[in-house]
Amino acid sequence: MFQRFTSEARDAVVAAQECARRRRSDHIGAEHLLLGLLDSTGPARSVLDSVGVDRDRLTEAVRSAPYAGAPADDADHLQELGIDLTEVRRRVEETFGAGALDVPARRRRGLLGRVFPPTHLRFERDAKKVLENSLRAALDLGDRHVGDDHVLLGLLADPRIVAVLRSAGTTLDLPTARSLVLQGRRRSA
């Protein structure tokens, strides 16, 4: 699938992988793809800049998102029981420091007992869905390649990503982003 990606889209996916590694995650989730777009140099970055996405606020919103590290169903069930995962995370990190609840990445042992970081991070179901939606967005726009702007449109099809953007102080939804992408194309043509 990645052979259809533009260099900007590939760079965003690589940035997402690096983001996941820095956060000691053993997978790449939709939230990592969102943060990866912040390192993009393509149209997606222009759209994010035009709506005032702030890297620090977005990173904090991703880190404190109720679903970060927990499947959506689990977060929803806990919420029904009156357990707010965002508040739990805040209190634990207040006591034990930032990242205290982050799952350390699995490591493999090599010869002579040396420990190596994982070489491959798997894509979570939500990230796979984003990439599928990115391909659909490209096809809907009549494009033969998947750009970082299509990845952004694929991300915005996930209501949890829209919620994260809102909690970061940005109101960006799929119709608005699609309009901004098309405006950017008309200006560059």
Side-chain angles (χ1 to χ4, degrees):
M1 177 178 185
F2 290 112
Q3 68 270 14
R4 295 184 83 171
F5 276 48
T6 64
S7 60
E8 290 92 356
R10 281 192 206 123
D11 290 346
V13 172
V14 168
Q17 181 180 27
E18 293 307 313
C19 175
R21 281 203 169 107
R22 277 192 311 273
R23 298 168 66 86
R24 296 181 303 195
S25 180
D26 65 348
H27 67 275
I28 299 169
E31 68 275 15
H32 300 120
L33 290 170
L34 178 61
L35 292 173
L37 285 179
L38 293 176
D39 293 327
S40 173
T41 58
R45 180 58 193 254
S46 299
V47 169
L48 293 172
D49 287 344
S50 72
V51 296
V53 171
D54 178 72
R55 177 183 295 273
D56 294 334
R57 287 184 73 186
L58 183 59
T59 301
E60 178 59 29
V62 164
R63 193 177 63 73
S64 62
Y67 72 90
D73 293 342
D74 292 347
D76 293 342
H77 293 305
L78 290 171
Q79 188 68 40
E80 289 172 8
L81 295 172
I83 299 171
D84 180 5
L85 288 179
T86 304
E87 181 62 17
V88 169
R89 177 178 284 278
R90 187 191 66 73
R91 287 185 183 182
V92 168
E93 289 187 348
E94 187 178 278
T95 303
F96 298 103
L101 291 176
D102 292 344
V103 177
R106 285 183 252 144
R107 301 188 180 276
R108 61 182 175 86
R109 290 207 178 270
L111 294 175
L112 305 174
R114 289 186 58 200
V115 177
F116 298 96
T119 55
H120 176 73
L121 298 178
R122 63 183 164 74
F123 284 91
E124 274 293 302
R125 186 177 3 181
D126 63 343
K128 289 178 185 177
K129 187 69 174 173
V130 164
L131 297 176
E132 288 173 22
N133 289 337
S134 301
L135 180 58
R136 281 194 189 99
L139 294 174
D140 288 347
L141 291 172
D143 296 330
R144 297 180 66 179
H145 297 284
V146 177
D148 67 338
D149 51 349
H150 302 116
V151 174
L152 177 61
L153 296 175
L155 279 162
L156 292 171
D158 183 342
R160 295 182 307 162
I161 293 298
V162 174
V164 166
L165 285 164
R166 278 196 191 113
S167 68
T170 302
T171 54
L172 181 64
D173 57 13
L174 188 55
T176 304
R178 185 177 168 93
S179 174
L180 290 170
V181 165
L182 292 174
Q183 284 175 15
R185 287 179 177 202
R186 283 191 289 269
R187 272 183 287 203
S188 65

